[in-house]
């Protein structure tokens, strides 16, 4: 699904990531962990085409990211659901409108997808807040709304950046359950987190693999985690 | 083809897609204001062009390269002096044709002043000879002198000749009117471009979110283009209506009032101001579209 070959990335200074090669197979569940500032968000952005590798090759769905124009990237985004580290909502639109946004921008009629939308909001437990504006949501509600938006297009890949960033443990587990459910539905899941407890909890549920990012390199972590 | 479709979408409006960009407040008001001001000016420039055009046409047709010689003489000498005049004209360079006006023609000329029942034969009415110029025309001073010497009763009336430079000025004024309309359009495009650019950069975060969820550049651009085109159209419509009202309410005088009071529209020219809002919409469409695609390329 996502394949990196000898990928390096730098924001202009020294290389933040270098010599990274790996494959995320279809239907797999991966955690990406590492210290703050190690480059987790950067790595995810390389995977969904928000950043272009400084060198090496990133291919998604068998397509080389270097050969994509902006329209290709837009189409790619519709097949990858992204939960951004700080959620990224349009603050002037309601939760329901934000969740339905990917439908609108891809030319689907949000009205015919109404059932899908209400089901999804129910699934993440946000039915009551569907008319609220994003700035009034709590951290956990924001994360759940962002997850609902990430899956509304029924994408093959879900990428979540710190989905449990500032929520309590109970909410973390609830979000994890949603991600695990998605993986059981056959979706490829990649989650960046520094919360090792979350990873341990997940391992009881799915065959998750853990990638550790440090000093510009990414290694598959052992079972000792 | 897709441009046409875009244009149609804009006129039809798409409230749902429009909502993705938050209200852009002052930039949109700026667009409304500047396009109404520009449309107001454009209406005047149009009126000016048409008025000077009419003036030039009228003067031009009066000119028609002809002048007249009036011959007033005691009853017995008229015919002789007419013949003398024709002989002088025959030998004047720059004259292509001469014609003695018949009685009917003279009656028609005098009718507006004296009514239809004028007893021409019993009145000492001067005879008229029409002179049609050739090429660069004749030397009117020379002709005048020769007539004075040979035909005492003849007066050369070439009053229409002095209008020639005025007609050139009117033509130039008409041209300047059209140039003004072009400049007004360009200034409007510049203002809308600036307004759109500022709206786009104020909404960089919105654009980022839209891209994150898979919006193509055309989708994002359209949301801005629609907004600005619609505002420019409505603004220009307002400005046009006010401009037309101002033209209509100009104090009127007779058609002979000349240039100042002739400023206005006549007949089918009234349709032209209708084009102003449409033109404004087209200008806004392209200005915003170009600004949006440029900004979206930069915002990579
Ligand atoms: N746009 C940018 N321009 C320059 N430097 C950047 C940019 N984005 C990130 N960086 C730097 O790159 C490094 C890695 O950032 P990144 O966001 O990938 O880390 P992270 O592992 O996700 O950290 P965290 O756990 O805090 O989210 C940081 O040092 C950061 O300051
Ligand atoms: Mg990060």
């Amino acid at each position: 699904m996502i394949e990196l070959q000898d990928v390096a990335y730098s924001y202009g200074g020294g290389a933040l990531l270098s010599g990274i090669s790996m494959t995320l197979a279809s239907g797999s569940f991966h955690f990406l962990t590492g210290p703050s500032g190690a480059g987790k968000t950067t790595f995810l952005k390389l995977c969904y085409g928000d950043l272009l590798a400084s060198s090496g090759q990133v291919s998604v769905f068998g397509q080389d990211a270097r050969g994509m124009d902006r329209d290709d990237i837009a189409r790619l985004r519709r097949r990858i659901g992204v939960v951004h580290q700080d959620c990224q909502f349009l603050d002037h639109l309601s939760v329901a409108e934000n969740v339905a946004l990917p439908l609108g921008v891809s030319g689907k009629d949000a009205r015919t997808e109404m059932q899908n939308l209400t089901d999804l909001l129910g699934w993440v437990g946000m039915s009551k807040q569907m008319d609220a504006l994003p700035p009034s949501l709590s951290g956990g509600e924001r994360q759940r709304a962002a997850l609902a938006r990430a899956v509304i297009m029924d994408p093959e890949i879900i990428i979540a950046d710190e989905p449990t960033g500032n929520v309590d443990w109970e909410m973390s587990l609830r979000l994890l359950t949603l991600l695990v459910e998605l993986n059981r539905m056959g979706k490829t899941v990649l989650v960046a987190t520094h919360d090792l407890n979350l990873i341990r909890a997940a391992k009881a549920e799915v065959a998750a693999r853990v990638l550790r990012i440090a000093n510009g390199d990414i290694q598959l972590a052992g079972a000792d985690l | 083809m897709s441009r046409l479709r875009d244009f149609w979408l804009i006129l039809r409006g798409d409230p749902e897609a429009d909502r993705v960009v938050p209200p852009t407040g002052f930039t949109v008001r700026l667009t409304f204001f500047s396009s109404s001001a520009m449309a107001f000016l454009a209406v005047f420039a149009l009126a000016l062009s048409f008025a000077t055009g009419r003036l030039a046409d009228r003067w031009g047709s009066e000119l028609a390269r002809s002048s007249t010689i009036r011959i007033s003489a005691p009853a017995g000498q008229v015919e002789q002096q007419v013949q003398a005049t024709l002989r002088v004209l025959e030998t004047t360079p720059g004259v292509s044709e001469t014609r003695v006006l018949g009685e009917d023609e003279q009656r028609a000329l005098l009718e507006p002043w004296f009514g239809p029942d004028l007893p021409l034969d019993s009145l000492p009415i001067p005879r008229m000879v029409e002179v049609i110029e050739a090429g660069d025309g004749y030397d009117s001073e020379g002709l005048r002198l020769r007539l004075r010497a040979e035909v005492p009763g003849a007066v050369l009336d070439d009053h229409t000749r002095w209008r020639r430079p005025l007609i050139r000025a009117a033509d130039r004024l008409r041209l300047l009117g059209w140039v003004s309309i072009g400049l007004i359009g360009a200034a409007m495009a510049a203002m809308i471009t600036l307004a759109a650019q500022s709206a786009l950069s104020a909404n960089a975060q919105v654009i980022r979110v839209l891209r994150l969820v898979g919006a193509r550049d055309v989708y994002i651009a359209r949301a801005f283009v629609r907004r600005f085109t619609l505002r420019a159209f409505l603004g220009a419509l307002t400005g046009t209506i006010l401009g037309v009202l101002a033209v209509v309410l100009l104090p009127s005088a007779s058609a002979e009032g000349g240039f100042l009071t002739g400023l206005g529209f006549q007949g089918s020219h009234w349709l032209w101001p209708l084009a102003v809002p449409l033109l404004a919409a087209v200008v806004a469409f392209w200005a915003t579209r170009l600004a949006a695609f440029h900004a979206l390329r930069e915002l990579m």
Side-chain angles (χ1 to χ4, degrees):
Chain A
M1 280 268 146
I2 300 180
E3 211 176 330
L4 291 84
Q5 270 169 34
D6 199 23
V7 168
Y9 189 81
S10 84
Y11 279 107
L16 179 63
L17 302 171
S18 60
I20 293 174
S21 298
M22 69 171 50
T23 304
L24 303 186
S26 176
S28 64
F29 195 124
H30 282 88
F31 280 107
L32 178 65
T33 189
S36 186
K40 299 185 291 294
T41 298
T42 305
F43 177 83
L44 297 185
K45 284 182 172 174
L46 288 168
C47 292
Y48 63 82
D50 200 22
L51 295 174
L52 266 185
S54 308
S55 67
Q57 183 186 330
V58 177
S59 49
V60 188
F61 301 121
Q63 252 186 303
D64 189 339
R66 280 172 307 191
M68 292 187 191
D69 61 19
R70 284 200 301 282
D71 280 356
D72 292 332
I73 290 173
R75 274 186 282 272
L76 178 71
R77 297 282 168 80
R78 297 171 192 178
R79 299 175 69 188
I80 304 180
V82 178
V83 179
H84 201 270
Q85 188 159 10
D86 33 57
C87 296
Q88 305 264 29
F89 294 114
L90 295 182
D91 289 343
H92 63 290
L93 297 184
S94 71
V95 166
E97 285 172 313
N98 266 285
V99 170
L101 200 56
L103 299 171
V105 304
S106 58
K108 290 195 178 154
D109 190 349
R111 273 160 302 196
T112 65
E113 304 272 343
M114 210 53 207
Q115 191 55 44
N116 192 0
L117 178 64
T118 45
D119 286 355
L120 200 54
L121 286 168
W123 179 67
V124 296
M126 290 287 290
S127 301
K128 276 212 294 281
Q129 293 93 337
M130 63 183 281
D131 291 321
L133 292 180
S136 69
L137 297 182
S138 74
E141 288 166 341
R142 286 176 74 80
Q143 294 292 357
R144 282 180 287 154
L147 183 62
R149 185 182 66 185
V151 299
I152 193 152
M153 293 287 284
D154 196 20
E156 292 132 276
I157 301 177
I158 312 281
I159 291 179
D161 196 356
E162 306 279 6
T164 61
N166 41 28
V167 300
D168 63 21
W169 177 241
E170 203 179 326
M171 183 55 68
S172 299
L173 286 180
R174 216 171 134 190
L175 283 159
L176 177 69
T177 309
L178 296 175
L179 289 166
V180 169
E181 267 181 57
L182 288 168
N183 181 243
R184 292 213 176 110
M185 288 159 68
K187 303 196 184 300
T188 309
V189 179
L190 171 59
V191 181
T193 183
H194 55 253
D195 187 349
L196 299 184
N197 286 326
L198 187 74
I199 299 176
R200 286 193 199 99
K203 282 197 156 182
E205 306 269 343
V206 284
R209 301 221 281 172
V210 181
L211 305 165
R212 191 193 298 278
I213 182 168
N215 305 321
D217 195 20
I218 297 187
Q219 298 291 336
L220 204 57
D224 58 316
L225 195 90
Chain B
M1 211 41 227
S2 86
R3 303 277 148 73
L4 265 180
R5 211 178 67 95
D6 276 6
F7 216 81
W8 165 240
L9 279 176
I10 281 159
L11 292 180
R12 200 197 54 177
D14 183 352
E16 237 166 87
D18 283 352
R19 292 201 62 216
V20 301
V21 180
T24 24
F26 103 96
T27 52
V28 159
R29 284 200 294 277
L30 190 73
T31 302
F32 184 89
F33 170 75
S34 55
S35 55
S36 53
M38 290 301 173
F40 190 84
L41 295 178
V43 168
F44 276 100
L46 267 179
L48 175 87
S49 284
F50 287 133
T52 49
R54 278 196 304 273
L55 204 60
D57 287 348
R58 200 166 69 221
W59 287 347
S61 66
E62 282 173 13
L63 184 86
R65 311 187 55 74
S66 77
S67 33
T68 48
I69 293 171
R70 233 173 327 121
I71 300 153
S72 333
Q77 294 173 30
V78 171
E79 197 48 40
Q80 183 197 342
Q81 292 211 10
V82 167
Q83 292 311 319
T85 304
L86 291 179
R87 275 196 303 277
V88 169
L89 289 172
E90 252 167 49
T91 55
T92 305
V95 170
S96 81
E97 236 178 89
T98 56
R99 195 169 64 86
V100 182
L101 261 57
E103 212 162 273
D104 289 348
E105 285 174 280
Q106 279 196 263
R107 196 189 299 276
L109 276 176
L110 292 169
E111 198 181 289
W113 311 98
F114 300 106
D117 304 319
L118 195 63
L120 259 191
D121 353 283
S122 59
L123 280 174
I125 298 293
R127 297 291 302 271
M128 311 273 262
V129 177
E130 189 183 38
V131 182
I132 309 286
E133 298 173 28
D136 291 336
Y138 54 84
D139 165 19
S140 60
E141 271 320 298
L143 181 59
R144 205 165 265 137
L145 287 174
R146 282 185 64 200
L147 284 172
R148 195 176 300 160
E150 297 178 32
V151 194
V155 177
L156 172 64
D157 179 359
D158 61 350
H159 65 278
T160 49
R161 294 184 120 214
W162 63 271
R163 283 183 171 167
R164 207 169 280 162
L166 277 188
I167 290 171
R168 269 201 300 279
D171 276 337
R172 187 68 56 82
L173 213 51
R174 165 160 51 178
L175 181 70
L176 287 179
W178 288 109
V179 170
S180 310
I181 291 170
L183 290 176
I184 286 168
M188 195 171 107
M191 265 184 266
I192 291 175
T193 302
L194 286 177
Q197 268 172 359
S198 110
L200 283 155
S201 55
N203 283 291
Q205 177 59 19
V206 169
I207 293 171
R208 226 167 279 133
V209 173
L210 290 174
R211 283 198 166 146
L212 184 72
V213 299
R216 292 167 63 209
D217 283 2
V218 274
Y219 180 88
I220 302 171
R222 221 177 263 157
F224 285 92
V225 168
R226 222 176 344 243
R227 187 163 299 187
F228 282 91
T229 305
L230 207 63
R231 276 335 135 95
F233 176 75
L234 293 176
L237 195 63
T238 310
T240 302
I241 290 171
L242 293 177
V244 168
L245 277 179
V247 168
V248 169
L249 295 178
L250 273 177
S252 61
S254 67
E256 298 302 312
F259 168 69
L260 261 184
T261 54
L263 192 66
F265 300 99
Q266 280 174 12
S268 65
H269 288 172
W270 278 108
L271 294 176
W272 277 83
L274 290 182
V276 171
L278 292 178
L279 226 62
V282 170
V283 166
F285 175 82
W286 281 107
T288 321
R289 193 184 166 91
L290 292 177
F293 279 112
H294 182 76
L296 289 169
R297 258 195 311 278
E298 301 284 297
L299 235 162
M300 190 47 196

